[in-house]
Amino acid sequence: MSETNVEQTREESAQRAKQLPDPKGYRILCAVPAIEDTYENGILKADSTVAVETHSTTVLFVVKLGPDAYKDDKKFPTGPWCKEGDFVLARPNSGTRLKIHGREFRLINDDTVEAVVADPRGISRA
């Protein structure tokens, strides 16, 4: 890849990053991790199956916290439940769903986070 193409790719990535919503209040912006398009045995999943798994996933990646997230000392006496860069578990279908450049994101409330996981691989909805 030429230096010009690398620079162009960096500029495109920076421009896309600017299009991410800035969560307000106690909201958290999360990315939905990419869903595997094959089963463990190697069989390809139908597009509709991948769509259902994406829509109902319980695993989210924390991109950005709103300015008021976890600020309520009575509700969160031990401090924040997660931070930017964490993988978290939340109820399926929670939050406001949106797509940006084909990637799904969710805006969830700070108290929607139910757990933080170090390695989300292998976790699926039961």
Side-chain angles (χ1 to χ4, degrees):
M1 187 177 260
S2 74
E3 193 172 316
T4 304
N5 288 344
V6 170
E7 187 60 34
Q8 191 174 24
T9 301
R10 286 185 187 142
E11 288 176 22
E12 289 172 2
S13 294
Q15 192 65 15
R16 286 183 178 190
K18 289 179 184 176
Q19 294 176 330
L20 291 177
D22 193 22
K24 300 298 179 190
Y26 52 87
R27 305 292 187 308
I28 301 173
L29 176 65
C30 297
V32 175
I35 302 297
E36 295 290 328
D37 61 354
T38 58
Y39 292 101
E40 289 179 16
N41 62 8
I43 295 175
L44 192 63
K45 294 178 183 176
D47 289 341
S48 59
T49 300
V50 173
V52 167
E53 289 180 10
T54 299
H55 178 74
S56 64
T57 186
T58 59
V59 177
L60 301 171
F61 178 78
V62 177
V63 176
K64 190 167 187 181
L65 299 173
D68 298 326
Y70 302 114
K71 298 292 187 207
D72 184 342
D73 292 334
K74 288 183 181 180
K75 194 172 190 177
F76 307 106
T78 60
W81 292 355
C82 67
K83 63 186 181 313
E84 292 177 9
D86 282 347
F87 283 97
V88 297
L89 297 181
R91 292 183 180 268
N93 308 313
S94 61
T96 302
R97 298 176 57 225
L98 57 141
K99 276 193 175 183
I100 302 171
H101 296 290
R103 181 83 190 257
E104 185 168 335
F105 292 85
R106 301 226 185 118
L107 280 167
I108 63 171
N109 296 338
D110 55 5
D111 62 356
T112 301
V113 172
E114 296 188 358
V116 174
V117 293
D119 185 355
R121 292 176 291 192
I123 296 175
S124 62
R125 185 173 174 204

